[in-house]
Amino acid sequence: METFDFTGKTIAITGATGGIANALLHAAAAESVTLVLHGRDRLEVATLASELERDGAQTHMVLGDLANEAEGIADEIATIAEIDILVNNAGVYTAGDILSTDLETVRRDIEINALAALATIQAVLPGMNRRGWGRIVSVSSGGGSMGEGLAPGHAAYAISKATLNAITLLAANAATGGVKANAMCPGWVRTRMGGSGAPRSPEEGADTALWLASLGADGPNGGFFRDRKPIPW
């Protein structure tokens, strides 16, 4: 298995107890790595933190519901430490087509899948720009890609992920120096969201996120990737 060197880095991740996030964090955890873990369930986040600390990482917990506490959560993440790598991973996957999905459902998906990511980007990107280095990874989906046809049976999800893609591209345009912001699609992964019948493991889903988080100076900025290859917005 490929190893990724995050020595001395501070990594913040939303939705840290999800399957893809869990795989990413265990791959990143090592001595001299600080992990800022966001989640809603204190016990789940604390259990994960204990596992990662056994791997050598230092951890901090940030608790809260991104649907209605996004700005406060983002501010707390930014005040814990200087964030080198931000992974916007938290998300919901709501079923329903464009005609049957009510506006409140769309609003909730946008709040969690997109506006929460915007809040964390606004909180940490200025510091990254000042320091001249940073990586922002937005865990998006081909279901939010206009080039791939969106996800017709999950309208709220498609709208929210398309919004997340726009936010990521704007963040890439605002990044300066050695800062990079990219989006990625993990594919259909065996997680609580993806279900047990999905063909990809959490480790496979996390691979592109780990790659984007560890990009060198010549790596891409403002791209959308699956399996480390560009896909259309």
Side-chain angles (χ1 to χ4, degrees), residues 125-150:
L125 180 54
M128 291 178 175
N129 283 342
R130 285 194 301 271
R131 294 188 299 274
W133 197 93
R135 300 289 180 267
I136 295 172
V137 181
S138 296
V139 180
S140 186
S141 170
S145 165
M146 294 188 186
E148 294 195 345
L150 301 172

Side-chain angles (χ1 to χ4, degrees), residues 72-159:
I73 290 166
D75 289 342
E76 185 176 351
I77 288 171
T79 57
I80 286 174
E82 294 181 340
I83 304 301
D84 300 301
I85 298 164
L86 169 65
V87 181
N88 289 310
N89 173 74
V92 290
Y93 184 56
T94 308
D97 65 24
I98 191 66
L99 298 180
S100 64
T101 303
D102 61 83
L103 290 183
E104 188 54 40
T105 298
V106 176
R107 288 190 188 100
R108 180 175 179 274
D109 277 33
I110 291 174
E111 288 282 353
I112 297 172
N113 292 350
L115 296 185
L118 175 58
T120 53
I121 289 169
Q122 289 176 331
V124 307
L125 180 54
M128 291 178 175
N129 283 342
R130 285 194 301 271
R131 294 188 299 274
W133 197 93
R135 300 289 180 267
I136 295 172
V137 181
S138 296
V139 180
S140 186
S141 170
S145 165
M146 294 188 186
E148 294 195 345
L150 301 172
H154 295 78
Y157 178 78
I159 291 166

Side-chain angles (χ1 to χ4, degrees), residues 1-6 27 214:
M1 182 178 176
E2 182 178 355
T3 58
F4 299 87
D5 184 7
F6 296 106
S214 59

